[in-house]
Amino acid sequence: MKTYLVTGGCGFIGSNFIHYLFKTYDNDVKVINLDKLTYAGKEENLKEVAGRENYLFIKGDICDEECVNSIFKTHDVDYVVHFAAESHVDRSILSSKEFVISNVLGTTTLLDAARNAWLMEGDAYKEGKKYLQVSTDEVYGSLGDTGYFTETTPLDPHSPYSASKASADMIVKSYIDTHKFPANITRCSNNYGPYQYPEKLIPLLIQNCLAHKPLPVYGDGKNIRDWLYVEDHCRAIDLVLRDAKVGEIYNIGGHNEKTNIDIVKLVLSYLHDNYDPEITEDLITYVADRKGHDRRYGINPEKIGRDLGWRPEIMFDEGIVKTIQWYLNNQEWLLQVQKKVKM
């Protein structure tokens, strides 16, 4: 039985990853979920697994050394999967300090705790231990009309959020290089799917459509993102944990580049045709562009395919329908969080 310490497990990707683990391994894993329960983290995301004997929730801050160290002293942690992060670009533009504290200091606290728990004599580490830093393609900056991010693309972050994630990545790399620490870094494209907090594009669109509220579109709406269904991402993370060579960095992309306005119109069209004919493109409202708004992200995931045999299984046309239907079937969940969203 492998013991996973999942940070930020009540958030979007973290909760999906925990669901994935129990769906895939059932009672053959133990999951410790460390989450501060900030505005974007909800225990309700994991209510189906809360009663399992092999699941433990701990409310705590990754910056709290005493809390983090106590977990490693109490439990024989095999894998650390570090999702916990402040991740909303607009919020980072308004106030960057909390992003630096959580994303940089929190990562360092986790690294030190894991290293101290796993280190043996002679700078060797206990067998089978690994730390995984879950990062983002935003650390690479912006692409032109052609080309893709690879694992060797220089880091060039353009927002306080992406700068804090790039800083955390560099700290992890320094532990790999300096301490021979058993870690990997993954950088993913835009995730979508169930349980995503509705300050992000797709759930925000769905929420506003259902309420017949304006759909804010930055600039001309032609910024391009690569979209990855969250379960495909979870599967990739688990492969990296179990099979990847220590120190390797992997880009995880969905082969689904779409402009923001295309996403808006696709969601509108589906809801208009299948749910409410009064949901129309009249709701689209163009707003001033975001500061430092990267024009295009595109990931080349060939390395993880070549090394680990991973490929995205859920293409966007299927995944977006699954996602919209999930939100339609879980409108009570959406109502519980919508008052906390700052437009």
Side-chain angles (χ1 to χ4, degrees):
M1 176 183 284
K2 292 289 187 179
T3 297
Y4 291 72
L5 171 58
V6 179
T7 70
C10 291
F12 167 43
I13 306 178
S15 61
N16 275 281
F17 182 68
I18 291 174
H19 283 295
Y20 168 85
L21 287 177
F22 288 129
K23 176 182 175 182
T24 305
Y25 301 109
D26 196 13
N27 291 318
D28 292 333
V29 293
K30 178 179 179 180
V31 177
I32 303 165
N33 174 12
L34 174 63
D35 198 298
K36 189 179 178 181
L37 293 182
T38 58
Y39 72 96
K42 291 175 60 62
E43 283 188 87
E44 292 88 345
N45 292 355
L46 293 162
K47 62 183 180 181
E48 294 89 353
V49 306
R52 297 184 67 112
E53 292 184 359
N54 55 338
Y55 172 75
L56 174 64
F57 170 68
I58 298 173
K59 184 179 179 180
D61 189 340
I62 56 174
C63 295
D64 184 341
E65 292 183 16
E66 183 178 352
C67 173
V68 174
N69 286 329
S70 70
I71 293 173
F72 283 92
K73 290 177 181 177
T74 306
H75 305 276
D76 184 15
V77 175
D78 296 296
Y79 298 142
V80 176
V81 190
H82 182 31
F83 294 105
E86 294 288 343
S87 64
H88 194 227
V89 175
D90 287 347
R91 292 177 185 268
S92 79
I93 293 170
L94 293 173
S95 177
S96 60
K97 183 177 180 180
E98 61 194 25
F99 286 75
V100 175
I101 292 172
S102 180
N103 299 352
V104 182
L105 179 59
T107 297
T108 306
T109 302
L110 279 170
L111 288 167
D112 286 339
R115 181 171 180 267
N116 291 334
W118 296 343
L119 187 63
M120 301 189 299
E121 292 183 6
D123 291 333
Y125 292 90
K126 296 176 182 178
E127 186 176 355
K129 307 298 185 183
K130 188 179 281 187
Y131 172 104
L132 197 148
Q133 175 76 7
V134 181
S135 190
T136 170
D137 57 2
E138 294 187 51
V139 301
Y140 294 123
S142 185
L143 283 168
D145 293 336
T146 61
Y148 296 93
F149 296 134
T150 71
E151 289 80 2
T152 59
T153 300
L155 304 191
D156 185 25
H158 292 159
S159 71
Y161 158 62
S162 56
S164 69
K165 290 295 289 186
S167 299
D169 287 5
M170 291 296 94
I171 291 172
V172 174
K173 186 178 184 301
S174 75
Y175 274 60
I176 295 169
D177 295 343
T178 302
H179 301 299
K180 310 304 177 187
F181 183 70
N184 293 105
I185 300 170
T186 59
R187 295 176 180 140
C188 67
S189 55
N190 279 33
N191 278 217
Y192 68 103
Y195 302 111
Q196 188 170 27
Y197 192 73
E199 67 186 358
K200 303 293 187 176
L201 179 61
I202 290 175
L204 177 63
L205 292 174
I206 297 168
Q207 172 187 257
N208 283 18
C209 280
L210 296 181
H212 292 185
K213 295 174 63 175
L215 308 179
V217 178
Y218 284 122
D220 61 6
K222 294 183 180 179
N223 300 76
I224 296 172
R225 298 294 181 262
D226 176 32
W227 292 90
L228 175 67
Y229 192 68
V230 65
E231 188 171 339
D232 277 335
H233 185 198
C234 294
R235 185 167 48 83
I237 288 170
D238 199 36
L239 276 172
V240 173
L241 278 171
R242 291 176 174 264
D243 298 336
K245 180 182 176 182
V246 166
E248 293 293 329
I249 298 171
Y250 288 100
N251 286 348
I252 307 170
H255 290 302
N256 286 300
E257 286 191 46
K258 305 284 184 184
T259 65
N260 287 347
I261 192 62
D262 284 344
I263 297 291
V264 173
K265 291 182 177 181
L266 195 157
V267 172
L268 271 169
S269 176
Y270 182 89
L271 290 172
H272 171 84
D273 294 344
N274 297 278
Y275 185 76
D276 181 355
E278 294 187 10
I279 295 173
T280 70
E281 292 189 9
D282 291 339
L283 294 174
I284 296 175
T285 304
Y286 290 91
V287 299
D289 206 356
R290 169 191 284 162
K291 295 179 180 179
H293 200 182
D294 294 327
R295 190 63 171 176
R296 173 177 171 254
Y297 301 148
I299 271 189
N300 181 341
E302 288 183 4
K303 180 180 176 182
I304 191 172
R306 183 178 64 249
D307 288 3
L308 304 177
W310 178 88
R311 297 285 189 282
E313 294 180 352
I314 300 176
M315 294 296 99
F316 191 80
D317 288 347
E318 176 189 356
I320 191 63
V321 171
K322 288 165 66 76
T323 300
I324 294 172
Q325 288 177 343
W326 186 89
Y327 283 98
L328 290 177
N329 293 333
N330 290 272
Q331 291 188 48
E332 183 178 347
W333 181 93
L334 199 56
L335 288 171
Q336 286 177 351
V337 299
Q338 67 180 352
K339 293 182 180 180
K340 299 180 182 179
V341 179
K342 295 180 179 179
M343 300 301 184

